Amino acid sequence: MKLSVRGEYALRALIVLGLDYIEGDSVVRIHEISTRQNIPKRFLEQILNDLKSAGVLESKRGIAGGYRLKRAPENITLAEVIRHIEGPLAPVSCVSERFYEKCSCPNEDKCAIRSVMKEVRDAIVKILEDVTVAQMCERVKKLQGTQANPLDYII
Amino acid sequence: MKLSVRGEYALRALIVLGLDYIEGDSVVRIHEISTRQNIPKRFLEQILNDLKSAGVLESKRGIAGGYRLKRAPENITLAEVIRHIEGPLAPVSCVSERFYEKCSCPNEDKCAIRSVMKEVRDAIVKILEDVTVAQMCERVKKLQGTQANPLDYII
DNA sequence: AAAAATGTCGATTGATATAGTAGAGATTAA
DNA sequence: TTAATCTCTACTATATCAATCGACATTTTT
């Protein structure tokens, strides 16, 4: 699958936004996410905007602007996010459900590689479709204890 | 993980060589593998040579030359092959056992993404470390019936 | 109305990886 | 000696990735 840096940044940003998520209109600035997660700001801009167009985030402009989750973190799976940012989860596109592409092998239906890669795909999808942003936030809390860890911030 | 074309070609070639594998000195020409599997010949040359230096294949030069498996197909796992051709199986190198690299997140030990990606890595590795070239050949036979399928060859 | 802090959008860049090609050489069997 | 093979190194074209930039739009505060 090989997650790109872009995809990793997306997930890191979503954790920040997930931890911040409260019903209400609270919003987090790009700059804050960038600083807390050590992500180049201009690059992060693109990514957040992309997640907005995916319907994962919403934004507020102007001086008190920023981003927040558009949906509850329980309803955002890693699979959805990664698919939107990176494309197929499958190791080869000839076994991808949503991004299928014919491959160059002589007979796709009877291809042994394909059958193995389908297993790999299923294993990946099973995990990534199960894990939500909310669960990632849980893990963060469990791993770090309930109070914010100073190391989470760049000084 | 995103298998590259190079990696896929390597596996396709290994299936041909696995099916051909008999104790003895029988050898398959690059040209034949290239034709049967629809792989650019000069590109395949590199790949087979690479698998040779990995200790997976051996070769014979000269007019009756070609390649064959150096070890029994039961002892060659897909994990080994892909790792040699492509590098890490893990989606991010900060969870790779053999190709570990530090990532840019603020605190790697307490990183939630890392913990998910570790699960993904384990799932991938479990499959790919289990499946051998011999098993791939079994699957081919099962999928195609015991006699060679004409579609296997480019006419 | 103006200023300042934010998000928005499209283009550009530099580095690296990928897929493939090319040429000259070494080895072996007939 | 010839012809068919593998071997080795280099090259190239294209795509992708990570990041940067500039100009613009929106909103709040003063």
Side-chain angles (χ1 to χ4, degrees):
Chain A
M1 202 195 53
K2 199 52 176 174
L3 195 65
S4 66
V5 172
R6 188 185 192 85
E8 196 194 318
Y9 287 169
L11 298 182
R12 302 230 300 257
L14 283 172
I15 290 178
V16 173
L17 291 168
L19 289 170
D20 187 83
Y21 182 82
I22 319 157
E23 293 300 337
D25 55 0
S26 112
V27 114
V28 185
R29 280 171 300 150
I30 294 179
H31 180 262
E32 191 185 340
I33 301 173
S34 152
T35 305
R36 279 176 56 173
Q37 284 290 331
N38 195 18
I39 300 171
K41 194 188 161 207
R42 294 310 288 275
F43 194 20
L44 183 59
E45 274 180 31
Q46 289 179 4
I47 297 168
L48 295 181
N49 213 321
D50 194 6
L51 290 174
K52 182 186 171 187
S53 75
V56 170
L57 301 183
E58 59 189 3
S59 64
K60 196 179 162 189
R61 283 180 161 196
I63 200 166
Y67 279 94
R68 72 175 152 230
L69 300 186
K70 188 173 186 183
R71 291 139 47 196
E74 292 78 19
N75 298 327
I76 304 169
T77 66
L78 297 208
E80 174 187 4
V81 174
I82 295 174
R83 281 203 186 100
H84 188 263
I85 299 278
E86 310 259 287
L89 299 179
V92 290
S93 355
C94 67
V95 300
S96 171
E97 298 274 331
R98 315 179 186 229
F99 299 86
Y100 171 81
E101 274 177 71
K102 199 176 169 346
C103 89
S104 74
C105 79
N107 188 346
E108 203 172 272
D109 288 338
K110 301 184 173 177
C111 174
I113 296 165
R114 204 163 175 259
S115 86
V116 177
M117 291 305 155
K118 219 172 182 60
E119 286 179 31
V120 173
R121 185 205 93 94
D122 289 345
I124 295 171
V125 168
K126 191 181 172 196
I127 296 170
L128 262 23
E129 218 136 56
D130 249 33
V131 180
T132 64
V133 169
Q135 285 173 40
M136 296 276 285
C137 294
E138 292 289 315
R139 293 198 193 202
V140 169
K141 287 180 195 160
K142 204 170 281 176
L143 285 164
Q144 306 195 339
T146 25
Q147 33 197 26
N149 187 319
L151 286 176
D152 220 7
Y153 299 80
I154 303 306
I155 305 166
Chain B
M1 201 195 54
K2 198 52 178 177
L3 196 65
S4 67
V5 172
R6 189 184 190 85
E8 195 193 319
Y9 288 169
L11 297 182
R12 302 229 299 258
L14 284 172
I15 290 178
V16 173
L17 292 167
L19 289 170
D20 187 84
Y21 183 82
I22 318 158
E23 293 301 337
D25 54 1
S26 114
V27 115
V28 185
R29 281 172 299 150
I30 293 180
H31 181 262
E32 191 185 339
I33 302 174
S34 153
T35 305
R36 278 174 59 174
Q37 284 290 332
N38 195 19
I39 300 171
K41 193 187 161 205
R42 293 309 290 275
F43 194 20
L44 183 59
E45 274 180 32
Q46 291 179 1
I47 296 167
L48 295 181
N49 213 322
D50 194 6
L51 290 174
K52 182 185 171 186
S53 74
V56 169
L57 301 182
E58 59 190 3
S59 64
K60 196 177 162 191
R61 283 178 160 196
I63 199 166
Y67 279 94
R68 73 174 151 230
L69 300 185
K70 188 172 187 184
R71 291 139 48 196
E74 292 78 19
N75 298 327
I76 304 169
T77 66
L78 297 209
E80 174 188 4
V81 174
I82 295 174
R83 280 203 187 100
H84 188 262
I85 300 276
E86 311 258 290
L89 299 179
V92 290
S93 355
C94 67
V95 301
S96 171
E97 299 275 330
R98 316 183 183 225
F99 299 85
Y100 171 81
E101 274 176 70
K102 198 175 169 347
C103 90
S104 73
C105 78
N107 188 347
E108 204 173 272
D109 287 338
K110 301 185 174 176
C111 174
I113 296 165
R114 203 162 176 259
S115 86
V116 176
M117 291 306 156
K118 219 172 181 61
E119 287 179 31
V120 173
R121 186 206 94 94
D122 290 345
I124 294 171
V125 168
K126 190 182 173 197
I127 296 170
L128 262 22
E129 218 136 55
D130 250 32
V131 179
T132 64
V133 171
Q135 284 173 40
M136 296 277 283
C137 295
E138 291 289 316
R139 292 196 193 203
V140 169
K141 287 180 194 158
K142 205 170 280 177
L143 286 164
Q144 306 194 339
T146 25
Q147 31 199 25
N149 186 318
L151 287 176
D152 220 8
Y153 298 81
I154 302 303
I155 304 166

